[in-house]
Amino acid sequence: MNANRFLRTAVVALTALAAASVTAVLGQAPAHASTAGGSITRSEVIDRAQSWVDRGIVYSPNAPSSYSYTSGPDGGSYRQDCSGLVSMAWHLTSNPVSGEFLNGAGPNHVIAKSDLKPGDALVYSGHIELFARWGTYGGQHGAFVYSFNTQNETVQNPAANSNLGHRGFNSDNDMNQYTAIRYDRIIDDSGPGGTPTGTLADINLDGKNDVLARTGTGDLLVYPGNGTGGFLSSYKVGAGFDTMSSLSLGDFDNDGRADLLTTVAATGELKVWPHTGNASAPFSGSGEVIGSGWNVMTSINVGDINRDGKLDLVARDGSGNLWAYPGDGALGFGNRWLIGTGWNGMSTINISDVNRDGMTDLIGRTSTGDLRLYTHSGDTVSPYGAGALIGTGWSGMTAVLFGDFNGDGNPDIISRVSDNTLRMYAHSGNTSTAFYGTGGQIGTGWGGMTDLD
């Protein structure tokens, strides 16, 4: 690494660490936390499970003859066993036992294992665990979990061994004994760990925007766009990306090609894979670390906010603040500035020039499914004011992407809906209202993808 690159990396790391300081300390309830028995985001479920790890809570020493109880991050009383851990993480008002979860006591329902997301659970008669993510450990693929198993043992978890030397991990073979369940009141976050969002990019260098998809096993697939709203045959461009909590595409080094930006889930490192120029293998190697502390961000998007011709990052922290990090056009980012507050109410955030004025707009989806447009004011310090309603009924979308997919130069919307079909909403060409119509189906069977860009 040359000196200039080293200095830029150091600055970015310090800047990202500054971002980390504004959010909750591990073990504390995040801002806008749930109430007992109410809706709860996936990130909060994981944070609550992690709080018992950080506190060193142990499985009831005298079980099964008697059980100990302790509090969650914000009170309550939960049994110190496997089902108590899940009850606490889901912020339930009661402590069902494992068999009761099998009967929907959460309230919860059975899902396919391929549909597992962070904060869901795995149960069989007599035992239950909290699902964190898919990944590889000890040379085996499987599920990282939060699990209570043995008297006086601390919580087995994805990041470190328990006091008895056990990691929270089930191999694919171990997973055969489990039933996957989902709490009825869990809701997706936006961005990392939640509903995938992104901006389309031309990955195969043919002048048409493509879709990048990550499978449940961490493979990256390119679905080349045909320029008229459809796809050509997909192909694999990467593996092992199940350890990443977010994926974003953008030309961060100003060479005219889309690079890949990721956040490492376990460490919070920000990594970039510059496009190689090879359409068949666009992202090679292990990537370059350009920052740290980014796992506190609940949404990361890409766009030119300060209008200098270089792509910036827009990131939302756990308190709902929206920050812009100016790109330097050479894989680095400078000191951030605040561009919004109160954005925790948005279940997704996207960036695109929807009104076609040459400036980058924000698009937010509210918890009720309204789609709101925040047009860029031209002021690079305070670019966004009050939003305007541009759509309703979007709560059923499980992925939202923006970009020109039919070749007319206007930013279309590609969304995955709850039946796992892919739909395109073509931009009308209007510059002030009625941007998007009813949309049409362009694909099926997309439910196995854990991220789309």
Side-chain angles (χ1 to χ4, degrees):
M1 178 182 292
N2 63 39
N4 288 337
R5 176 64 57 79
F6 176 81
L7 288 172
R8 182 173 66 248
T9 302
V11 169
V12 174
L14 290 172
T15 302
L17 285 171
S21 67
V22 303
T23 59
V25 177
L26 279 176
Q28 295 178 345
H32 302 282
S34 63
T35 57
S39 296
I40 186 169
T41 63
R42 295 185 179 280
S43 60
E44 187 183 345
V45 169
I46 296 299
D47 285 345
R48 290 176 67 86
Q50 182 65 36
S51 74
W52 274 17
V53 177
D54 299 332
R55 288 168 55 193
I57 304 300
V58 298
Y59 193 101
S60 297
N62 298 317
S65 59
S66 65
Y67 286 89
S68 304
Y69 287 76
T70 191
S71 63
D74 49 5
S77 180
Y78 297 95
R79 191 172 53 250
Q80 290 171 224
D81 65 357
C82 61
S83 53
L85 171 64
V86 173
S87 298
M88 183 277 298
W90 283 358
H91 208 171
L92 302 185
T93 57
S94 61
N95 283 266
V97 297
S98 301
E100 291 173 326
F101 280 109
L102 274 174
N103 295 324
N108 55 266
H109 59 279
V110 174
I111 60 171
K113 290 191 183 76
S114 59
D115 289 338
L116 279 165
K117 296 181 180 181
D120 293 332
L122 299 162
V123 61
Y124 63 82
S125 181
H127 187 63
I128 187 169
E129 301 179 340
L130 194 74
F131 176 82
R133 59 181 173 85
W134 297 105
T136 301
Y137 181 72
Q140 297 186 82
H141 184 268
F144 284 97
V145 297
Y146 288 87
S147 177
F148 248 167
N149 295 71
T150 305
Q151 292 172 333
N152 284 311
E153 185 179 21
T154 56
V155 178
Q156 297 179 17
N157 66 90
N161 290 344
S162 72
N163 61 341
L164 299 185
H166 301 137
R167 186 63 58 93
F169 180 79
N170 297 320
S171 69
D172 287 342
N173 186 57
D174 295 333
M175 291 288 286
N176 290 330
Q177 64 186 319
Y178 287 95
T179 297
I181 61 173
R182 176 167 296 161
Y183 182 38
D184 289 353
R185 297 179 183 129
I186 199 168
I187 56 176
D188 289 340
D189 304 89
S190 66
T195 302
T197 62
T199 304
L200 301 178
D202 177 17
I203 301 172
N204 67 352
L205 307 178
D206 66 351
K208 307 177 184 77
N209 281 333
D210 312 313
V211 171
L212 182 69
R214 179 180 62 185
T215 69
T217 58
D219 290 343
L220 288 187
L221 305 177
V222 171
Y223 289 78
N226 63 10
T228 58
F231 294 103
L232 304 175
S233 297
S234 64
Y235 61 97
K236 181 177 174 179
V237 296
F241 281 84
D242 49 346
T243 59
M244 306 300 170
S245 61
S246 71
L247 305 175
S248 302
L249 293 169
D251 181 11
F252 302 111
D253 55 8
N254 277 12
D255 66 353
R257 300 189 291 256
D259 311 311
L260 176 62
L261 187 79
T262 72
T263 305
V264 182
T267 65
E269 290 177 335
L270 194 68
K271 301 184 73 172
V272 65
W273 278 259
H275 199 295
T276 62
N278 181 349
S280 299
F283 312 119
S284 64
S286 57
E288 179 180 341
V289 177
I290 60 172
S292 60
W294 284 79
N295 49 354
V296 301
M297 297 300 180
T298 61
S299 175
I300 298 175
N301 285 278
V302 177
D304 182 13
I305 307 301
N306 63 0
R307 304 178 62 200
D308 66 352
K310 301 163 188 169
L311 286 181
D312 312 315
L313 297 185
V314 173
R316 179 183 62 186
D317 65 28
S319 299
N321 297 315
L322 210 59
W323 300 92
Y325 294 77
D328 64 6
L331 302 180
F333 300 92
N335 294 327
R336 67 180 186 169
W337 78 100
L338 186 67
I339 61 171
T341 59
W343 280 78
N344 264 352
M346 297 298 175
S347 60
T348 62
I349 301 172
N350 287 86
I351 290 180
S352 189
D353 180 14
V354 174
N355 66 352
R356 312 302 294 132
D357 64 355
M359 295 184 288
T360 300
D361 309 318
L362 298 182
I363 307 95
R365 182 183 65 178
T366 69
S367 58
T368 59
D370 290 343
L371 209 61
R372 298 187 65 83
L373 173 66
Y374 298 79
T375 57
H376 199 297
S377 65
D379 181 350
T380 58
V381 176
S382 300
Y384 303 107
L389 183 68
I390 61 170
T392 59
W394 285 76
S395 57
M397 306 304 174
T398 62
V400 182
L401 313 177
F402 276 75
D404 178 20
F405 199 61
N406 61 5
D408 65 357
N410 296 315
D412 310 310
I413 301 176
I414 291 181
S415 69
R416 181 178 60 190
V417 297
S418 55
D419 64 357
N420 295 326
T421 60
L422 212 62
R423 296 181 66 83
M424 184 182 79
Y425 298 79
H427 194 288
S428 65
N430 294 338
T431 58
S432 60
T433 187
F435 299 110
Y436 300 101
T438 56
Q441 183 174 303
I442 60 172
T444 60
W446 286 75
M449 303 303 177
T450 60
D451 205 339
L452 297 175
D453 286 277

Coordinates of all heavy atoms in Angstrom, one line a residue, residues 112-157:
A112 N -39.6 -21.6 5.7 CA -38.6 -22.5 5.1 C -37.2 -22.1 5.6 O -36.9 -20.9 5.8 CB -38.6 -22.4 3.6
K113 N -36.3 -23.0 5.7 CA -35.0 -22.7 6.2 C -34.3 -21.7 5.2 O -33.4 -20.9 5.6 CB -34.1 -23.9 6.4 CG -34.5 -24.8 7.6 CD -33.5 -25.9 7.8 CE -33.9 -26.8 8.9 NZ -34.9 -27.8 8.5
S114 N -34.6 -21.9 3.9 CA -34.0 -21.0 2.9 C -34.4 -19.5 3.1 O -33.8 -18.6 2.5 CB -34.4 -21.5 1.5 OG -35.8 -21.5 1.3
D115 N -35.5 -19.3 3.8 CA -36.0 -17.9 4.1 C -35.5 -17.3 5.4 O -35.9 -16.2 5.7 CB -37.6 -17.9 4.1 CG -38.2 -18.2 2.7 OD1 -37.5 -17.9 1.7 OD2 -39.3 -18.6 2.6
L116 N -34.7 -18.0 6.1 CA -34.2 -17.5 7.4 C -33.5 -16.2 7.2 O -32.7 -16.0 6.3 CB -33.2 -18.5 8.0 CG -33.8 -19.7 8.7 CD1 -32.8 -20.8 9.0 CD2 -34.4 -19.3 10.1
K117 N -33.8 -15.3 8.2 CA -33.1 -14.0 8.3 C -32.6 -13.8 9.7 O -33.1 -14.4 10.6 CB -34.1 -12.9 7.9 CG -34.6 -12.9 6.4 CD -35.5 -11.7 6.2 CE -36.0 -11.7 4.7 NZ -36.9 -10.6 4.5
P118 N -31.7 -12.9 9.9 CA -31.3 -12.6 11.3 C -32.4 -12.3 12.2 O -33.3 -11.5 11.9 CB -30.3 -11.4 11.1 CG -29.8 -11.5 9.7 CD -31.0 -12.0 8.9
G119 N -32.5 -12.9 13.4 CA -33.5 -12.7 14.3 C -34.6 -13.8 14.3 O -35.5 -13.8 15.1
D120 N -34.6 -14.6 13.2 CA -35.5 -15.8 13.2 C -35.0 -16.9 14.2 O -33.9 -16.7 14.8 CB -35.7 -16.4 11.8 CG -36.4 -15.4 10.9 OD1 -37.2 -14.6 11.3 OD2 -36.1 -15.4 9.6
A121 N -35.7 -18.0 14.3 CA -35.3 -19.0 15.3 C -35.3 -20.4 14.7 O -36.0 -20.6 13.7 CB -36.2 -18.9 16.6
L122 N -34.6 -21.3 15.4 CA -34.5 -22.7 15.0 C -34.9 -23.5 16.2 O -34.4 -23.3 17.3 CB -33.1 -23.0 14.6 CG -32.5 -22.3 13.3 CD1 -31.0 -22.4 13.3 CD2 -33.2 -22.8 12.1
V123 N -35.8 -24.4 16.0 CA -36.4 -25.1 17.2 C -36.6 -26.6 16.8 O -36.9 -27.0 15.7 CB -37.7 -24.5 17.6 CG1 -38.8 -24.5 16.5 CG2 -38.3 -25.1 18.9
Y124 N -36.4 -27.4 17.8 CA -36.9 -28.8 17.8 C -37.4 -29.1 19.2 O -37.2 -28.3 20.2 CB -35.9 -29.8 17.4 CG -34.6 -30.0 18.2 CD1 -34.6 -30.7 19.4 CD2 -33.4 -29.3 17.8 CE1 -33.4 -30.9 20.1 CE2 -32.3 -29.5 18.6 CZ -32.3 -30.2 19.7 OH -31.1 -30.4 20.5
S125 N -38.0 -30.2 19.5 CA -38.6 -30.5 20.8 C -37.5 -30.5 21.8 O -36.6 -31.3 21.8 CB -39.3 -31.9 20.7 OG -39.9 -32.2 22.0
G126 N -37.6 -29.5 22.8 CA -36.7 -29.4 23.9 C -35.6 -28.4 23.7 O -34.8 -28.2 24.6
H127 N -35.4 -27.8 22.5 CA -34.4 -26.8 22.3 C -34.7 -25.8 21.3 O -35.4 -26.1 20.3 CB -33.1 -27.5 21.9 CG -31.9 -26.6 21.9 ND1 -31.4 -25.9 23.0 CD2 -31.1 -26.2 20.9 CE1 -30.4 -25.2 22.7 NE2 -30.1 -25.4 21.4
I128 N -34.3 -24.5 21.5 CA -34.5 -23.5 20.5 C -33.3 -22.6 20.5 O -32.6 -22.4 21.5 CB -35.7 -22.6 20.9 CG1 -36.1 -21.6 19.8 CG2 -35.6 -21.9 22.2 CD1 -37.4 -21.0 19.9
E129 N -32.9 -22.0 19.3 CA -31.8 -21.1 19.1 C -32.2 -20.0 18.3 O -33.1 -20.1 17.5 CB -30.6 -21.9 18.5 CG -30.1 -23.1 19.3 CD -29.0 -23.8 18.6 OE1 -28.8 -23.7 17.4 OE2 -28.3 -24.6 19.3
L130 N -31.4 -18.9 18.4 CA -31.7 -17.7 17.6 C -30.8 -17.7 16.4 O -29.5 -17.7 16.5 CB -31.5 -16.4 18.4 CG -32.0 -15.1 17.8 CD1 -33.6 -15.1 17.9 CD2 -31.5 -13.9 18.5
F131 N -31.3 -17.5 15.2 CA -30.5 -17.5 13.9 C -29.9 -16.1 13.8 O -30.6 -15.1 13.9 CB -31.4 -17.9 12.7 CG -30.7 -17.8 11.4 CD1 -29.9 -18.8 10.9 CD2 -30.8 -16.6 10.6 CE1 -29.2 -18.7 9.7 CE2 -30.2 -16.5 9.4 CZ -29.4 -17.6 8.9
A132 N -28.6 -16.1 13.4 CA -27.9 -14.9 13.2 C -27.6 -14.7 11.7 O -27.9 -13.7 11.1 CB -26.6 -14.8 14.0
R133 N -26.9 -15.7 11.1 CA -26.6 -15.6 9.7 C -26.0 -16.9 9.2 O -25.6 -17.8 10.0 CB -25.5 -14.5 9.4 CG -24.2 -14.7 10.2 CD -23.2 -13.6 9.9 NE -22.0 -13.7 10.7 CZ -21.0 -14.4 10.4 NH1 -20.9 -15.1 9.3 NH2 -19.9 -14.4 11.3
W134 N -26.0 -17.1 7.8 CA -25.3 -18.2 7.2 C -23.8 -17.9 7.2 O -23.4 -16.7 7.1 CB -25.8 -18.5 5.8 CG -27.3 -18.9 5.8 CD1 -28.3 -18.1 5.4 CD2 -27.8 -20.2 6.2 NE1 -29.5 -18.8 5.5 CE2 -29.2 -20.1 5.9 CE3 -27.3 -21.3 6.7 CZ2 -30.1 -21.2 6.2 CZ3 -28.1 -22.4 6.9 CH2 -29.5 -22.3 6.7
G135 N -23.0 -18.9 7.2 CA -21.6 -18.7 7.0 C -20.8 -20.0 7.1 O -21.4 -21.1 7.0
T136 N -19.5 -19.9 7.2 CA -18.6 -21.1 7.2 C -17.7 -21.0 8.5 O -17.2 -19.9 8.8 CB -17.7 -21.1 6.0 OG1 -18.5 -21.1 4.8 CG2 -16.8 -22.3 6.0
Y137 N -17.6 -22.1 9.2 CA -16.8 -22.2 10.4 C -16.2 -23.6 10.5 O -16.9 -24.6 10.3 CB -17.7 -21.9 11.6 CG -17.0 -22.0 12.9 CD1 -16.1 -21.0 13.3 CD2 -17.1 -23.0 13.8 CE1 -15.4 -21.0 14.5 CE2 -16.4 -23.1 15.0 CZ -15.6 -22.1 15.4 OH -14.9 -22.1 16.5
G138 N -14.9 -23.6 10.7 CA -14.2 -24.9 10.9 C -14.3 -25.7 9.6 O -14.3 -27.0 9.6
G139 N -14.4 -25.0 8.5 CA -14.4 -25.7 7.2 C -15.8 -26.2 6.8 O -15.9 -26.9 5.7
Q140 N -16.8 -25.9 7.5 CA -18.2 -26.4 7.2 C -19.1 -25.2 7.0 O -19.0 -24.2 7.7 CB -18.7 -27.3 8.4 CG -17.9 -28.6 8.6 CD -18.6 -29.4 9.6 OE1 -19.6 -30.2 9.3 NE2 -18.2 -29.4 10.8
H141 N -20.0 -25.3 6.1 CA -21.0 -24.3 5.9 C -22.2 -24.6 6.9 O -22.5 -25.8 7.1 CB -21.5 -24.3 4.5 CG -22.5 -23.2 4.2 ND1 -23.9 -23.4 4.4 CD2 -22.4 -21.9 3.9 CE1 -24.5 -22.2 4.1 NE2 -23.6 -21.3 3.8
G142 N -22.8 -23.6 7.3 CA -24.0 -23.7 8.2 C -24.5 -22.4 8.7 O -24.4 -21.4 8.1
A143 N -25.1 -22.5 9.9 CA -25.8 -21.3 10.5 C -25.1 -20.9 11.8 O -24.9 -21.7 12.7 CB -27.2 -21.6 10.8
F144 N -24.8 -19.6 11.8 CA -24.3 -19.0 13.1 C -25.5 -18.6 13.9 O -26.5 -18.1 13.4 CB -23.4 -17.8 12.9 CG -22.0 -18.1 12.4 CD1 -21.7 -18.1 11.0 CD2 -21.0 -18.4 13.3 CE1 -20.5 -18.4 10.6 CE2 -19.8 -18.7 12.8 CZ -19.5 -18.7 11.5
V145 N -25.4 -19.0 15.2 CA -26.6 -18.8 16.1 C -26.2 -18.2 17.5 O -25.0 -18.2 17.8 CB -27.3 -20.2 16.3 CG1 -27.9 -20.7 15.0 CG2 -26.4 -21.2 17.0
Y146 N -27.2 -17.8 18.2 CA -27.1 -17.5 19.7 C -27.8 -18.7 20.3 O -29.0 -18.9 20.1 CB -27.7 -16.2 20.0 CG -27.0 -15.0 19.6 CD1 -27.2 -14.5 18.3 CD2 -26.0 -14.4 20.4 CE1 -26.4 -13.4 17.9 CE2 -25.3 -13.3 20.0 CZ -25.5 -12.8 18.7 OH -24.8 -11.7 18.3
S147 N -27.1 -19.4 21.3 CA -27.7 -20.6 21.8 C -27.3 -20.8 23.3 O -26.1 -20.5 23.6 CB -27.2 -21.8 21.0 OG -27.7 -23.0 21.6
F148 N -28.2 -21.2 24.1 CA -27.9 -21.6 25.5 C -28.1 -23.1 25.6 O -29.1 -23.6 25.2 CB -28.9 -20.9 26.4 CG -28.4 -19.9 27.4 CD1 -29.2 -19.0 28.1 CD2 -27.0 -19.8 27.6 CE1 -28.7 -18.1 28.9 CE2 -26.5 -18.9 28.4 CZ -27.3 -18.0 29.1
N149 N -27.1 -23.8 26.1 CA -27.1 -25.2 26.1 C -26.8 -26.0 27.4 O -27.4 -27.0 27.6 CB -26.0 -25.7 25.0 CG -26.4 -25.3 23.6 OD1 -26.3 -24.1 23.3 ND2 -26.8 -26.2 22.8
T150 N -25.9 -25.5 28.2 CA -25.4 -26.3 29.3 C -25.4 -25.5 30.6 O -25.1 -24.3 30.5 CB -24.0 -26.8 29.0 OG1 -24.0 -27.5 27.7 CG2 -23.5 -27.7 30.1
Q151 N -25.6 -26.1 31.7 CA -25.5 -25.4 33.0 C -24.2 -24.6 33.2 O -23.1 -25.2 32.8 CB -25.6 -26.4 34.1 CG -27.0 -27.1 34.3 CD -26.9 -28.2 35.3 OE1 -25.9 -28.8 35.5 NE2 -28.1 -28.5 35.9
N152 N -24.4 -23.4 33.6 CA -23.2 -22.5 33.9 C -22.4 -22.1 32.7 O -21.3 -21.5 32.8 CB -22.2 -23.1 34.9 CG -22.8 -23.1 36.3 OD1 -23.2 -22.0 36.8 ND2 -22.8 -24.2 37.0
E153 N -22.9 -22.4 31.5 CA -22.3 -22.0 30.2 C -22.8 -20.6 29.8 O -24.0 -20.4 29.9 CB -22.4 -23.0 29.1 CG -21.6 -22.6 27.9 CD -21.8 -23.7 26.7 OE1 -22.8 -24.4 26.8 OE2 -20.9 -23.7 25.8
T154 N -21.9 -19.8 29.3 CA -22.3 -18.5 28.7 C -23.0 -18.7 27.4 O -22.9 -19.9 26.8 CB -21.2 -17.5 28.6 OG1 -20.1 -18.1 27.8 CG2 -20.6 -17.1 30.0
V155 N -23.6 -17.7 26.8 CA -24.3 -17.9 25.5 C -23.3 -18.2 24.4 O -22.3 -17.5 24.1 CB -25.0 -16.6 25.2 CG1 -25.7 -16.7 23.8 CG2 -26.1 -16.3 26.3
Q156 N -23.5 -19.3 23.7 CA -22.8 -19.6 22.5 C -23.2 -18.6 21.4 O -24.4 -18.3 21.3 CB -23.1 -21.0 22.0 CG -22.6 -22.1 23.0 CD -22.9 -23.5 22.5 OE1 -23.2 -23.7 21.4 NE2 -22.8 -24.5 23.5
N157 N -22.3 -18.0 20.7 CA -22.6 -16.9 19.8 C -21.7 -16.9 18.6 O -20.7 -17.6 18.5 CB -22.5 -15.6 20.6 CG -21.1 -15.3 21.0 OD1 -20.3 -14.6 20.2 ND2 -20.7 -15.7 22.2

